[in-house]
Short mmCIF file of all heavy atoms in Angstrom, two decimals:
data_model
loop_
_atom_site.label_atom_id
_atom_site.label_comp_id
_atom_site.label_asym_id
_atom_site.label_seq_id
_atom_site.Cartn_x
_atom_site.Cartn_y
_atom_site.Cartn_z
N ASP A 17 105.83 105.77 87.21
CA ASP A 17 106.08 105.89 88.67
C ASP A 17 106.10 107.37 89.06
O ASP A 17 107.04 108.07 88.74
CB ASP A 17 107.40 105.19 89.04
CG ASP A 17 107.60 105.16 90.54
OD1 ASP A 17 106.73 105.58 91.31
OD2 ASP A 17 108.71 104.73 90.94
N PRO A 21 108.29 110.05 97.48
CA PRO A 21 108.83 109.35 98.68
C PRO A 21 108.20 109.86 99.97
O PRO A 21 107.95 111.07 100.13
CB PRO A 21 110.30 109.68 98.62
CG PRO A 21 110.59 109.97 97.15
CD PRO A 21 109.34 110.67 96.67
N ALA A 41 98.06 102.86 118.90
CA ALA A 41 99.24 102.12 119.27
C ALA A 41 99.36 101.82 120.76
O ALA A 41 99.78 100.74 121.16
CB ALA A 41 100.53 102.82 118.80
N GLU A 43 97.37 100.92 122.83
CA GLU A 43 96.56 99.80 123.31
C GLU A 43 97.18 98.44 122.95
O GLU A 43 96.66 97.42 123.33
CB GLU A 43 95.15 99.87 122.64
CG GLU A 43 94.40 101.10 123.11
CD GLU A 43 93.01 101.22 122.44
OE1 GLU A 43 92.70 100.42 121.53
OE2 GLU A 43 92.26 102.09 122.87
N MET A 101 117.15 93.19 118.91
CA MET A 101 116.78 93.80 120.22
C MET A 101 116.79 92.73 121.30
O MET A 101 117.09 93.03 122.47
CB MET A 101 115.43 94.46 120.14
CG MET A 101 115.42 95.71 119.31
SD MET A 101 113.79 96.42 119.09
CE MET A 101 113.57 97.24 120.64
N ALA A 130 102.55 85.17 93.97
CA ALA A 130 103.81 84.92 94.64
C ALA A 130 103.97 85.82 95.87
O ALA A 130 104.39 85.40 96.95
CB ALA A 130 104.97 85.16 93.74
N VAL A 137 104.20 83.70 104.48
CA VAL A 137 105.35 83.08 105.14
C VAL A 137 106.04 84.08 106.06
O VAL A 137 106.27 83.83 107.25
CB VAL A 137 106.36 82.51 104.11
CG1 VAL A 137 107.69 82.13 104.78
CG2 VAL A 137 105.81 81.36 103.37
N GLU A 150 109.22 87.46 125.83
CA GLU A 150 108.90 87.20 127.25
C GLU A 150 108.65 88.54 127.97
O GLU A 150 109.21 89.56 127.58
CB GLU A 150 110.06 86.46 127.90
CG GLU A 150 110.27 85.10 127.29
CD GLU A 150 111.47 84.35 127.79
OE1 GLU A 150 112.08 84.79 128.77
OE2 GLU A 150 111.83 83.31 127.20
N GLN A 153 111.36 91.05 128.53
CA GLN A 153 112.07 91.57 127.38
C GLN A 153 111.38 92.77 126.73
O GLN A 153 111.89 93.39 125.86
CB GLN A 153 112.22 90.45 126.33
CG GLN A 153 113.03 89.26 126.75
CD GLN A 153 113.04 88.18 125.73
OE1 GLN A 153 111.99 87.78 125.25
NE2 GLN A 153 114.25 87.68 125.39
N GLU A 154 110.18 93.15 127.20
CA GLU A 154 109.40 94.17 126.53
C GLU A 154 110.05 95.60 126.53
O GLU A 154 109.72 96.36 125.65
CB GLU A 154 108.00 94.25 127.18
CG GLU A 154 107.20 92.99 126.94
CD GLU A 154 105.89 92.99 127.68
OE1 GLU A 154 105.63 93.88 128.51
OE2 GLU A 154 105.06 92.08 127.33
N SER A 164 115.83 107.53 116.47
CA SER A 164 114.61 107.15 117.17
C SER A 164 114.87 105.84 117.99
O SER A 164 115.47 104.91 117.44
CB SER A 164 113.43 106.85 116.23
OG SER A 164 113.07 107.99 115.50
N HIS A 184 94.20 99.40 105.46
CA HIS A 184 93.27 100.54 105.26
C HIS A 184 93.51 101.18 103.90
O HIS A 184 92.55 101.45 103.13
CB HIS A 184 93.48 101.57 106.37
CG HIS A 184 92.73 102.87 106.15
ND1 HIS A 184 91.39 102.99 106.38
CD2 HIS A 184 93.13 104.07 105.72
CE1 HIS A 184 91.00 104.22 106.11
NE2 HIS A 184 92.05 104.88 105.70
#
Side-chain angles (χ1 to χ4, degrees):
D17 187 6
E43 296 177 353
M101 293 174 78
V137 169
E150 297 174 9
Q153 297 176 311
E154 294 176 351
S164 296
H184 171 78

